[in-house]
Every structure is written in C-alpha cells, then in structure tokens.
Amino acid sequence: MAAPRGRQHRGRSTDFPPRAIRAGLMLSPGEPEREAYEQLVTEMGISGAEVIRMALMEMHKRHREGRAKTQLKEAG
C-alpha cells in the first residue's frame, strides 16, 4: 500500500543504493506545483531536471540552517 503523499516509505526512504537515483515526480495539470514548475522551466530557460535539482539544494540549505539555529538555541 502506498504511503500518503509526502510521507516516507519505511525501509525504502533511508536505504540508498550506491548508484544513480531516479526520483519520480508526477505533476498533474491544475496543481500549483505544476504551474510553478512550468513557469520556472519557461522563464529560466533550463531543463525540468535542473529546476528540481535547484529546488532540492535550496530545501537542503534551509533545512541545514534551521537545524543549526535549533542546535544553537539548545546549547545556549
């Protein structure tokens, strides 16, 4: 049974193989994410894969910054 959207699959989301990973992403017409995706691809003139890579790195950066702030609060 599939997990709800955005949830990790136990045992599958944390064990990464030492080879290329293909992340599947379905964006249906009418979804706000699809509109944002199409707009970024068109306006930035880059591939859809590059849009997703850039978004991933931005999310990773924000996550790391948030963790650093939390650790500072706990230490102080």
Side-chain angles (χ1 to χ4, degrees):
M1 182 174 186
R5 185 178 192 167
R7 300 288 302 264
Q8 287 186 348
H9 291 265
R10 180 168 291 174
R12 295 183 66 191
S13 295
T14 57
D15 297 332
F16 298 104
R19 64 182 194 285
I21 297 173
R22 180 180 303 232
L25 178 65
M26 295 292 293
L27 298 172
S28 300
E31 288 183 331
E33 294 88 358
R34 164 94 178 243
E35 293 174 20
Y37 173 82
E38 291 177 355
Q39 194 173 43
L40 287 167
V41 168
T42 303
E43 292 178 4
M44 295 180 75
I46 58 177
S47 70
E50 191 61 24
V51 167
I52 294 169
R53 281 186 185 99
M54 292 171 71
L56 175 66
M57 294 311 297
E58 181 63 28
M59 186 175 190
H60 183 260
K61 177 182 168 187
R62 289 181 184 181
H63 173 71
R64 291 289 180 205
E65 289 172 353
R67 284 184 63 191
K69 288 179 184 176
T70 303
Q71 290 173 349
L72 284 175
K73 287 180 184 177
E74 290 174 356

